[in-house]
């Protein structure tokens, strides 16, 4: 979002500009309306105010600029030469203001259009948001879309962001946060890894396994979260592979390289295809979400409202948070001495 820069000027000049605008605005509006309508009475009807108020505004403007703008008699009102000159100078500015107002009205009442700047985490943005943006653009071709994939918490005003997708927990009370779906986290492995090394049955067993970790934008490793006896417990397992993107972590799991804790939207397809199994479901956290965030519900542009409604409906229809889990825990026959897994 760009900042407005005004030409540098002295404090006295700035004060004069402010006082001049505040004093003359009503007079200019009244003057332009009288000039267009040809009479003070019709101008008053057009503006929805009394004739005397229109007359006072024009008189005050005439006093400010030191020139008579209308010749007024009991029978007619005509514009002076000075008035014609002032009208020609004022009219382009008034037209631009009216055009600006009309454009704002069109943004609110016409079809959605304009630029929409969107921020999303790499994983959710690439897997869920980006494909749906193509469908949104097909429905609303007048809306230009810009998608930025980043893990950091964006600042809406400074970064010029209209919509942000966020994962996990939200504690920013300054934004509107709409939960799209719960964010289900699953510890997963490939069936080959499970056959070879078994699966952890408790949080303490995780240390005995090869783990694939993710590094966050702030440089620290992402915790694995579990809910035990109603309390969230963070785990930082030793990892022999570290990546900074959940899709890369998923690739490592599918390559039989170890365990990872990943959100359901990343795993849904692989779980349905039997390419992954899950474990530790009894202590999986259940208090996270995928959120769609924006600054305010007031005077929401149509392009933002259309995008919010579209994404909410489409993402919920994907049902990414209730995938059918392919957990081997209930059917594993495990040798306590070796923790090797014997499949039926």
């Amino acid at each position: 979002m760009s900042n407005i820069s005004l030409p540098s000027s002295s404090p006295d000049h700035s004060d004069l500009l402010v006082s001049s605008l505040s004093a003359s605005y009503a007079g200019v509006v009244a003057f332009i309306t009288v000039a267009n309508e040809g009479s003070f009475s019709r101008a008053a009807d057009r503006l929805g105010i009394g004739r005397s108020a229109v007359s006072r505004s024009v008189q005050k403007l005439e006093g400010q600029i030191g020139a008579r703008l209308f010749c007024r008699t009991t029978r007619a009102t005509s514009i002076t030469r000075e008035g014609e000159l002032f009208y020609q100078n004022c009219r382009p500015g008034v037209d631009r203001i009216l055009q600006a107002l009309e454009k704002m009205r069109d943004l609110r009442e016409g079809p959605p259009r304009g630029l929409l700047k969107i921020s999303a985490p790499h994983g959710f943005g690439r897997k869920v948001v980006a494909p749906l943006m193509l469908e949104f653009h097909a429905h609303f071709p007048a809306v230009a879309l810009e998608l930025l994939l980043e893990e950091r918490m964006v600042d809406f005003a400074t970064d010029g962001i209209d919509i942000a997708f966020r994962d996990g927990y939200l504690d920013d009370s300054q934004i509107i946060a709409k939960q799209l779906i719960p964010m289900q986290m699953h510890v997963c492995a490939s069936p080959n890894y499970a056959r070879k090394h078994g699966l952890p049955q408790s949080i303490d067993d995780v240390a005995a396994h090869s783990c694939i970790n993710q590094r966050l934008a702030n440089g620290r490793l992402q915790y694995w979260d579990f809910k035990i006896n109603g309390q969230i417990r963070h785990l930082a397992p030793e990892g022999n592979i570290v990546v900074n993107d959940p899709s890369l972590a998923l690739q490592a799991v599918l390559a039989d390289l170890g365990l990872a804790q990943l959100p359901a939207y990343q795993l849904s397809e692989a779980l349905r295809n039997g390419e992954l199994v899950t474990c530790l479901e009894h202590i999986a956290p259940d208090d996270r979400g995928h959120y769609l965030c924006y600054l305010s519900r007031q005077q929401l542009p149509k392009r933002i409202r259309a995008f919010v409604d579209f994404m909410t409906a489409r993402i919920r229809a994907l049902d990414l948070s209730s995938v059918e889990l392919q957990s081997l825990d209930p059917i594993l026959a495990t040798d306590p001495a070796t923790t090797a897994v014997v499949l039926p």
Side-chain angles (χ1 to χ4, degrees):
M1 190 174 294
S2 60
N3 295 322
I4 298 174
S5 299
L6 296 175
S8 58
S9 58
S10 66
D12 290 342
H13 179 77
S14 298
D15 292 343
L16 178 62
L17 177 63
V18 172
S19 62
S20 176
L21 287 174
S22 61
S24 62
Y25 176 76
V28 170
V29 171
F31 164 73
I32 292 290
T33 308
V34 173
N36 287 336
E37 297 295 327
S39 84
F40 280 79
S41 296
R42 287 196 294 272
D45 292 339
R46 179 83 176 200
L47 294 172
I49 59 176
R51 184 185 185 283
S52 59
V54 175
S55 180
R56 284 195 303 269
S57 293
V58 172
Q59 287 175 358
K60 189 173 182 179
L61 178 64
E62 289 175 326
Q64 185 179 4
I65 63 178
R68 191 172 181 82
L69 300 174
F70 294 106
C71 289
R72 289 166 284 218
T73 68
T74 55
R75 294 186 177 182
T77 297
S78 61
I79 193 166
T80 65
R81 289 190 178 182
E82 290 81 6
E84 289 179 354
L85 178 63
F86 189 66
Y87 181 87
Q88 294 302 323
N89 288 330
C90 285
R91 188 65 206 219
V94 172
D95 285 343
R96 291 190 66 179
I97 291 173
L98 292 174
Q99 289 170 9
L101 292 171
E102 190 64 28
K103 285 183 179 180
M104 292 301 101
R105 189 177 297 110
D106 285 347
L107 286 176
R108 291 279 298 159
E109 300 174 2
R113 68 171 182 263
L115 174 63
L116 197 58
K117 197 171 179 181
I118 304 150
S119 171
H122 285 83
F124 196 78
R126 189 175 289 115
K127 183 80 173 180
V128 179
V129 178
L132 290 175
M133 280 178 58
L134 300 177
E135 185 182 348
F136 176 84
H137 188 64
H139 282 82
F140 303 100
V143 179
L145 301 171
E146 180 177 348
L147 175 62
L148 303 174
L149 299 181
E150 49 194 342
E151 300 303 322
R152 68 184 179 91
M153 300 288 276
V154 298
D155 183 286
F156 282 85
T158 303
D159 299 322
I161 298 297
D162 297 300
I163 295 285
F165 292 89
R166 293 182 178 174
D167 295 338
Y169 313 99
L170 289 188
D171 55 5
D172 188 347
S173 60
Q174 302 303 310
I175 62 174
I176 307 300
K178 183 175 187 177
Q179 187 180 98
L180 299 170
I181 52 175
M183 184 178 179
Q184 302 293 343
M185 301 297 294
H186 305 290
V187 177
C188 60
S190 68
N192 286 339
Y193 180 92
R195 289 187 182 93
K196 225 185 231 188
H197 305 285
L199 293 173
Q201 303 300 304
S202 71
I203 192 172
D204 296 327
D205 295 340
V206 174
H209 288 265
S210 297
C211 295
I212 299 155
N213 287 327
Q214 296 182 65
R215 193 170 299 281
L216 300 175
N218 60 14
R220 72 171 180 84
L221 292 178
Q222 185 173 20
Y223 290 123
W224 294 23
D225 287 344
F226 300 93
K227 193 169 187 179
I228 301 175
N229 297 325
Q231 300 295 318
I232 292 295
R233 181 170 168 185
H234 303 300
L235 181 67
E238 292 287 335
N240 54 357
I241 293 178
V242 178
V243 295
N244 68 344
D245 187 290
S247 62
L248 297 178
L250 176 59
Q251 290 178 29
V253 175
L254 292 172
D256 309 330
L257 298 179
L259 307 174
Q261 188 179 58
L262 293 167
Y265 74 86
Q266 282 284 343
L267 310 177
S268 57
E269 186 177 349
L271 285 169
R272 282 191 291 267
N273 295 338
E275 299 174 284
L276 290 178
V277 294
T278 63
C279 58
L280 302 177
E281 290 300 320
H282 61 292
I283 53 173
D286 58 2
D287 55 353
R288 292 184 173 195
H290 296 290
Y291 296 89
L292 189 154
C293 307
Y294 49 99
L295 274 181
S296 173
R297 291 190 178 94
Q298 302 300 318
Q299 288 87 44
L300 199 62
K302 289 197 74 174
R303 66 185 184 280
I304 295 181
R305 170 54 58 197
F307 189 82
V308 169
D309 293 344
F310 178 90
M311 284 292 177
T312 300
R314 291 297 192 276
I315 291 175
R316 288 177 177 172
L318 294 175
D319 200 22
L320 297 173
S321 62
S322 59
V323 295
E324 184 178 347
L325 300 178
Q326 299 294 325
S327 175
L328 295 186
D329 285 351
I331 61 172
L332 291 181
T334 303
D335 181 343
T338 64
T339 67
V341 178
V342 179
L343 296 178

